Amino acid sequence: MRIAICDDEQYICNTIEKFLSTYTPAYDITSNVFYDGEDLLCYCIEHNVFDVAFLDIEMPTLNGIEVAKRLLQINEKCIIIFITSHATYISDAFRLAAFQFLLKPINPDDFHQDFKRAIQRYNNLHAKYVVKWRDKITCLVHKDILFIEVNRKHLFIYTKTQIYECTGKITDEEARLYNFGFVRCHQSYLVNLLHIKTIEKDFVVLADGSEVRMSRQMRNKVFDAFLRQNTGPST
């Protein structure tokens, strides 16, 4: 896991590096420290992209919001965690679909709680979903799956570009995909929370415009899961 730390205050960078050292033995973590947003972006252009970025919102020359926008253009999978001294920037951060924000001074418990969630998100974004149909085996990335439909013991896996078919039970897939951000929204449908744009009365609207049916009994479950996905656990 490649991590960027960008803050114009050295002690903040040192603090995050210290916290990250706890995870180094268990995870293949490499980190790079930057004190300026432009230096970070120049590094990304010349070298590899980052999987996680800790970004100070208030920086000279280029603020963290602008840096995050450019990072996501380079790598849409990048997990953005903002660092700020002022809660007034939080709305801007979440408008950009940031993963989380940390208030200065950084509380160790908050950091570890959010970074463990970031690890889970990273695993979800890079894990593979295997589809077996007759003599063909296809590996999909979980994040590319929009939703799954069941019809007479056949599963149909919908992505932006293709529909894949296999046999199975929707209940088995629900258990299999629970930790990857999927939620059951109907007796016949399992939807990827990453792609939900709007939750309506009887269906959910995905970012690509697709509409997936949702039962009344499962609406609260979907709504709660969607909130947890986008705001993190409550404290």
Side-chain angles (χ1 to χ4, degrees), residues 6-26:
C6 188
D7 195 298
D8 58 343
E9 297 179 274
Q10 185 175 351
Y11 86 94
I12 291 292
C13 296
N14 293 342
T15 298
I16 294 175
E17 282 194 301
K18 179 181 178 180
F19 291 157
L20 287 175
S21 65
T22 306
Y23 301 90
T24 301

Side-chain angles (χ1 to χ4, degrees), residues 119-129 140-145 173-183 190-195 229:
I119 290 173
Q120 184 63 59
R121 171 70 67 86
Y122 172 85
N123 290 336
N124 291 354
L125 290 172
H126 294 82
K128 301 294 183 181
Y129 180 85
L140 302 176
V141 180
H142 288 84
K143 78 173 188 65
D144 292 337
I145 300 172
E173 298 310 296
E174 181 181 12
R176 178 184 174 190
L177 293 170
Y178 176 79
N179 289 326
F180 293 96
F182 286 75
V183 65
L190 192 62
V191 66
N192 190 339
L193 290 164
L194 283 175
H195 295 288
Q229 175 80 11

Side-chain angles (χ1 to χ4, degrees), residues 143-149 157-160 181-183 185 189-200 203-214 222 226:
K143 78 173 188 65
D144 292 337
I145 300 172
L146 301 176
F147 63 94
I148 297 175
E149 177 186 10
I157 297 93
Y158 290 77
T159 69
K160 290 181 180 180
F182 286 75
V183 65
C185 61
Y189 294 96
L190 192 62
V191 66
N192 190 339
L193 290 164
L194 283 175
H195 295 288
I196 293 180
K197 181 179 179 181
T198 309
I199 299 176
E200 302 290 348
F203 58 91
V204 296
V205 181
L206 306 186
D208 73 334
S210 301
E211 296 182 357
V212 183
R213 290 173 61 191
M214 178 177 60
V222 174
F226 180 70

Side-chain angles (χ1 to χ4, degrees), residues 104-144:
K104 297 179 182 181
I106 301 174
N107 180 284
D109 292 336
D110 291 342
F111 178 91
H112 292 299
Q113 176 176 277
D114 291 329
F115 189 66
K116 287 174 183 176
R117 290 179 51 241
I119 290 173
Q120 184 63 59
R121 171 70 67 86
Y122 172 85
N123 290 336
N124 291 354
L125 290 172
H126 294 82
K128 301 294 183 181
Y129 180 85
V130 179
V131 180
K132 299 179 181 179
W133 176 242
R134 295 174 181 169
D135 297 327
K136 185 177 181 180
I137 298 177
T138 304
C139 288
L140 302 176
V141 180
H142 288 84
K143 78 173 188 65
D144 292 337

Side-chain angles (χ1 to χ4, degrees), residues 26-73:
Y27 301 93
D28 184 17
I29 290 177
T30 58
S31 61
N32 294 83
V33 173
F34 305 90
Y35 301 108
D36 181 271
E38 289 186 340
D39 290 342
L40 167 56
L41 293 174
C42 288
Y43 182 92
C44 287
I45 293 172
E46 297 178 4
H47 301 82
N48 293 326
V49 295
F50 290 99
D51 302 303
V52 180
F54 291 90
L55 300 177
D56 182 17
I57 292 183
E58 297 176 274
M59 290 188 291
T61 311
L62 203 60
N63 66 44
I65 301 291
E66 290 301 319
V67 174
K69 289 178 181 178
R70 299 190 195 182
L71 281 179
L72 292 172
Q73 290 173 351

